[in-house]
């Protein structure tokens, strides 16, 4: 049983370039902000922070959400 366009990939290394802010990464990956805000409570406070300024856990949490909520090709 195979269905196309259902697999997303999150690499082990950082997905978000360190020079992008959280808001820029959200726009770049075309994720829906209202969904991110629901699952990432600190999103509003961190939207102007660069990816490099987030803790490893915060960055990974954001990356997982971006992969989940970004449109799939």
């Amino acid at each position: 049983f195979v269905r196309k366009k259902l697999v997303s990939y999150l690499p082990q290394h950082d997905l978000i370039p360190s020079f992008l802010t959280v808001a820029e990464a959200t726009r770049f990956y075309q994720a829906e902000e209202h969904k991110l805000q629901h699952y990432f409570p600190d999103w509003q406070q961190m939207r102007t922070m660069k990816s490099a300024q987030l803790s490893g856990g915060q960055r990974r949490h954001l990356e997982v959400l971006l992969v989940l909520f970004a449109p799939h090709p």
Side-chain angles (χ1 to χ4, degrees):
F1 178 71
V2 177
R3 294 171 70 181
K4 294 182 181 181
K5 302 179 184 177
L6 292 179
V7 175
S8 293
Y9 174 72
L10 180 59
Q12 188 171 357
H13 62 277
D14 291 343
L15 177 69
I16 304 170
S18 60
F19 58 86
L20 287 181
T21 66
V22 171
E24 291 168 338
T26 303
R27 284 191 301 275
F28 181 77
Y29 290 102
Q30 301 175 357
E32 297 179 42
E33 288 185 21
H34 71 277
K35 288 183 180 179
L36 288 176
Q37 290 175 9
H38 180 73
Y39 291 100
F40 192 56
D42 297 331
W43 187 88
Q44 194 65 14
Q45 299 163 357
M46 296 181 179
R47 62 187 315 271
T48 59
M49 294 174 69
K50 296 206 181 278
S51 170
Q53 295 173 296
L54 301 176
S55 73
Q58 291 169 326
R59 185 171 38 253
R60 198 59 172 173
H61 187 192
L62 178 61
E63 290 171 345
V64 167
L65 293 176
L66 287 175
V67 168
L68 287 174
F69 297 130
H72 297 93

